[in-house]
Amino acid sequence: MDTIGFSKHDHTVCIEDCVATIEAHCAEAGLQFTPTRRRVLEILLDQHKALGAYDILEVLRSEGLGSQPPVAYRALDFLVANGFAHKIEHLNAFIACCRPGQTHTAAFLICRMCKAVAEAPSTPARIALEGSAEAVGFSIEATVVEATGLCPNCA
Amino acid sequence: MDTIGFSKHDHTVCIEDCVATIEAHCAEAGLQFTPTRRRVLEILLDQHKALGAYDILEVLRSEGLGSQPPVAYRALDFLVANGFAHKIEHLNAFIACCRPGQTHTAAFLICRMCKAVAEAPSTPARIALEGSAEAVGFSIEATVVEATGLCPNCA
DNA sequence: ATTTGAAATGTAATATTATAACAAGCCCCA
DNA sequence: TGGGGCTTGTTATAATATTACATTTCAAAT
């Protein structure tokens, strides 16, 4: 199984693993992993591309889990706030985090053709920025790195 | 005069210089630097923070230069497409480019308190990403780097 | 067991950001 | 002088996101 990038992997296992990991993490941290939150995570994991809040809402609606925008946004806020998902600013869309539980600055490779998104290590990018930031007295709290281009499948 | 960062500088000169530079650049490249486009650039330059399309539209409207959203978005599209402005994805807002005419991957330091935005050199960050991208066969076309935190004035 | 307070949910309404579509004007230039 | 491409004007609507407030849930403290 390969959780990173555009290559194929056993997706069922991928989803199960992630959900289990996050469930355990929530239990330990005293976070409520409610049915809606779990379902939104599953929906996100089900695709290796970024989904809009309204895409997710549509699924929730069809399953009777909620019908109004705040339902989706609240679950997404929870997932993002706890590092279980990321928002792709460039697409106004969301994606499950491949490495839940680890705090890390995320970087993304976004295919402009198929909208697939891969998460890449971004620590180097952040380190590169820290220099410039320090020089002007700016203290970085969060960094978003998003590269658009063509994935190997679409190239 | 200091065009970069959160420090003070002679703003009138800053604006004049940028506009003149871009005007010349347009003339040379056969781009139409129309009144609306010029005015939007000036509005952006007037602030060292990111402005929403509707903030800009409001100014245009008050000056009789246009009243409908496409007026602002078209001018912004032109400026962004030609590297005279950047979109800050994190804020859904726009900012004039401090170094017009040079093609460069932009990185931004965004103050979460005062919304001031500084442009930082991001080439190192992009180079850092190129490695991961190459490893998975992804070809990068554009990179967005946005760091949020506190600027020296708000810290 | 009961209280209670924080967190989560349900729902309506609305705010904000962005684009589609099409008609009309302008300007270079062949 | 009349094409053709770019730019503008305008209406309408799409897509994304939040506010506000009533209600429910649930676990922890009494």
Side-chain angles (χ1 to χ4, degrees):
Chain A
M1 165 174 163
D2 183 0
T3 58
I4 298 173
F6 299 103
S7 43
K8 299 195 193 304
H9 59 277
D10 184 334
H11 208 46
T12 308
V13 173
C14 167
I15 294 177
E16 285 170 2
D17 276 9
C18 281
V19 174
T21 303
I22 287 169
E23 180 158 37
H25 185 93
C26 285
E28 196 166 330
L31 298 169
Q32 298 186 47
F33 195 50
T34 63
T36 304
R37 290 168 177 179
R38 166 193 287 268
R39 189 65 193 116
V40 170
L41 178 65
E42 286 169 357
I43 293 166
L44 286 175
L45 283 167
D46 197 45
Q47 322 264 338
H48 271 244
K49 64 176 197 179
L51 293 177
Y54 282 75
D55 296 331
I56 289 163
L57 182 58
E58 198 175 311
V59 178
L60 293 177
R61 189 175 276 151
S62 76
E63 295 174 354
L65 276 170
S67 61
Q68 301 303 319
V71 173
Y73 282 103
R74 282 169 183 156
L76 288 167
D77 285 349
F78 170 85
L79 295 174
V80 169
N82 293 287
F84 308 145
H86 297 287
K87 179 169 188 182
I88 309 293
E89 301 288 351
H90 185 75
L91 300 174
N92 289 320
F94 301 83
I95 189 165
C97 180
C98 298
R99 306 191 285 289
Q102 301 172 233
T103 65
H104 61 278
T105 304
F108 301 98
L109 306 174
I110 306 163
C111 179
R112 69 170 157 77
M113 292 290 289
C114 69
K115 304 291 186 205
V117 177
E119 197 170 343
S122 74
T123 317
R126 176 158 180 168
I127 288 170
L129 253 192
E130 296 277 9
S132 324
E134 231 171 69
V136 297
F138 188 96
S139 64
I140 294 177
E141 292 169 351
T143 306
V144 171
V145 180
E146 299 177 5
T148 50
L150 285 180
C151 76
N153 302 328
C154 293
Chain B
M1 164 174 162
D2 183 359
T3 57
I4 297 174
F6 299 102
S7 42
K8 300 195 192 303
H9 58 277
D10 184 334
H11 208 46
T12 307
V13 174
C14 166
I15 293 177
E16 285 170 3
D17 275 8
C18 280
V19 173
T21 303
I22 286 170
E23 181 157 37
H25 185 93
C26 285
E28 195 166 331
L31 298 169
Q32 298 186 46
F33 195 50
T34 63
T36 305
R37 290 169 177 177
R38 165 193 286 268
R39 188 66 192 115
V40 169
L41 177 66
E42 286 170 356
I43 293 165
L44 286 175
L45 283 168
D46 197 46
Q47 321 265 339
H48 271 245
K49 63 176 196 179
L51 292 177
Y54 283 76
D55 295 331
I56 289 163
L57 182 58
E58 197 175 311
V59 178
L60 293 178
R61 188 176 278 152
S62 75
E63 296 173 354
L65 276 169
S67 61
Q68 300 304 318
V71 173
Y73 281 104
R74 282 170 183 155
L76 288 166
D77 284 349
F78 170 85
L79 296 174
V80 169
N82 293 287
F84 308 146
H86 297 288
K87 179 171 187 182
I88 309 293
E89 301 286 351
H90 184 74
L91 301 173
N92 291 319
F94 301 83
I95 189 164
C97 180
C98 298
R99 306 192 284 290
Q102 303 173 233
T103 65
H104 61 278
T105 304
F108 301 98
L109 306 175
I110 307 162
C111 180
R112 68 168 157 79
M113 292 289 289
C114 68
K115 305 290 187 208
V117 177
E119 196 169 344
S122 75
T123 317
R126 176 158 182 168
I127 289 170
L129 253 191
E130 295 277 9
S132 324
E134 231 171 68
V136 297
F138 187 96
S139 65
I140 294 177
E141 292 169 350
T143 306
V144 171
V145 180
E146 300 177 4
T148 50
L150 285 181
C151 76
N153 302 328
C154 293

